[in-house]
Amino acid sequence: MKHILFTNWHLMRIVRLVFAIFLFVQAYVTFEWFFIVFGLFFLIQAIFNTGCGPNGCQIPKK
């Protein structure tokens, strides 16, 4: 678990984290609590490094 959290941080993963924090702040400021769902989606992608990475959504050729 530590390996997933602390390694392989690239630009897209940081963008997902920043966007999740932005959505949490907007949900709090505007009282639109539905934004928390989207914020959690991007936060989970950033923490666990899921989704399309810098190489796109391609299948490994092994």
Side-chain angles (χ1 to χ4, degrees):
M1 187 67 170
K2 282 184 183 181
H3 181 69
I4 292 172
L5 290 175
F6 296 116
T7 59
N8 199 18
W9 280 89
H10 45 78
L11 179 65
M12 196 61 212
R13 194 170 175 187
I14 294 169
V15 168
R16 287 184 193 122
L17 180 64
V18 169
F19 191 59
I21 293 169
F22 170 76
L23 287 173
F24 290 141
V25 170
Q26 285 301 310
Y28 179 75
V29 169
T30 62
F31 298 110
E32 296 289 338
W33 304 115
F34 188 67
F35 286 129
I36 291 177
V37 174
F38 295 113
L40 286 173
F41 173 73
F42 286 106
L43 182 68
I44 289 171
Q45 280 190 340
I47 289 175
F48 296 113
N49 198 19
T50 59
C52 296
N55 295 329
C57 294
Q58 57 183 316
I59 299 171
K61 297 180 182 181
K62 291 183 180 180

